[in-house]
Amino acid sequence: MSEPLTHVSVHPHRTATLLHDAVLLRDGLRPLPLGLELHYTSLDPFAVRVTLEVEGAQVRWVLSRETLLLARSRRTGTGEVAAWPVPGAAGAPPALRIRLGPVDGCAVVETERDVVSEWLDVTARLVPPGEESSHIDWDGFLTGLSDDA
């Protein structure tokens, strides 16, 4: 596995991006190595954008940051997204699994729980959990909307 890389930017808005390795878990097959990118921005403070990449092909999902925060310690999620911690196998570090898609046709991605946890701590310093609403620029969003609509 490559070393995780976290990039933080505070101008013009606050962002944190994690680049790391993950694997796609497949029934009866070897795990498939993937590139993992997690991106957080104060412009959309409730969301984490996930990009998975293998051999130049990419899949993107948007997850709730709260789902990932809770998944550090317990299974969480509803609908097509769930996440949960798992102990490391045979001396490996503890892992985080993320299920994307419906249970009968999903992808399960696994990465290092501590790396994601440290990155989530960075996002919490940018926008503390519970203060997300105060970071939404409603005036900027509503600019240009007419009263006639």
Side-chain angles (χ1 to χ4, degrees):
M1 286 193 140
S2 63
E3 287 297 312
L5 173 66
T6 296
H7 174 74
V8 178
S9 172
V10 292
H11 299 289
H13 55 274
R14 299 175 195 152
T15 67
T17 302
L18 171 67
L19 301 176
H20 195 43
D21 298 321
V23 293
L24 176 65
L25 301 177
R26 306 175 296 165
D27 288 336
L29 299 172
R30 288 185 327 181
L32 178 66
L34 301 171
L36 170 70
E37 178 180 309
L38 300 178
H39 180 76
Y40 180 80
T41 175
S42 62
L43 294 175
D44 192 2
F46 292 100
V48 170
R49 283 163 176 61
V50 178
T51 302
L52 302 170
E53 184 172 348
V54 62
E55 297 178 6
Q58 293 183 338
V59 174
R60 292 183 173 93
W61 281 77
V62 178
L63 309 180
S64 153
R65 179 175 69 160
E66 181 179 21
T67 296
L68 292 178
L69 287 166
L70 293 173
R72 297 189 290 186
S73 61
R74 65 178 175 88
R75 186 179 187 93
T76 186
T78 59
E80 294 192 356
V81 175
W84 62 96
V86 293
L96 178 71
R97 288 189 180 163
I98 304 169
R99 179 182 50 79
L100 303 169
V103 174
D104 61 349
C106 66
V108 177
V109 176
E110 182 175 286
T111 192
E112 290 179 65
R113 184 175 72 211
D114 293 345
V115 170
V116 173
S117 184
E118 288 173 14
W119 177 80
L120 286 166
D121 290 343
V122 171
T123 73
R125 288 192 298 272
L126 297 176
V127 177
E131 295 182 18
E132 293 91 349
S133 294
S134 67
H135 288 267
I136 297 174
D137 180 8
W138 290 110
D139 291 335
F141 173 72
L142 298 173
T143 299
L145 294 179
S146 72
D147 293 331
D148 303 332

